[in-house]
Amino acid sequence: MLKPLADRVVLEAQEEEEQTVGGIVLASNAKEKSQTGKVVAVGEGQVLENGQKVPMTVKVGDKVLYDKYAGTEVSYDNQKYLVVHEKDLIAVVD
């Protein structure tokens, strides 16, 4: 499994099927990029200049909302993931 460094988080992006009000399913190229994902791994946390470590605020299993163009897409074991900094996370979805 991928182990992110510092304040990075590995997400499994949630694919969302979009339908119009009339029930028509949109093609994948017509859909907007998903902004929700499931946290699959978290780093140790950011280390400040004074050596103090800031703990992560999210944990594995959390469903989160992230900035639209945040992160780097990576493939590992035939699975696609998104690696983002914790500051690019907007909210935890309950």
Side-chain angles (χ1 to χ4, degrees):
M1 183 59 189
L2 295 172
K3 182 172 174 151
L5 300 175
D7 66 335
R8 289 180 178 85
V9 178
V10 178
L11 302 174
E12 190 176 89
Q14 304 292 309
E15 295 294 327
E16 298 174 12
E17 184 178 276
E18 291 188 28
Q19 290 186 349
T20 62
V21 175
I24 298 171
V25 176
L26 297 175
S28 62
N29 59 355
K31 290 192 270 185
E32 296 225 2
K33 182 180 172 186
S34 173
Q35 287 181 259
T36 59
K38 180 181 174 188
V39 177
V40 294
V42 296
E44 297 285 322
Q46 182 181 14
V47 178
L48 302 176
E49 289 182 21
N50 65 4
Q52 182 182 12
K53 189 180 285 189
V54 179
M56 300 293 281
T57 56
V58 295
K59 61 187 179 310
V60 174
D62 284 348
K63 184 175 179 182
V64 295
L65 183 65
Y66 56 88
D67 284 334
K68 191 170 196 167
Y69 299 107
T72 303
E73 290 183 359
V74 295
S75 292
Y76 180 77
D77 281 345
N78 296 322
Q79 182 81 14
K80 289 187 179 181
Y81 297 101
L82 185 66
V83 180
V84 299
H85 285 277
E86 187 179 31
K87 66 180 173 128
D88 293 327
L89 300 178
I90 301 170
V92 175
V93 180
D94 285 333

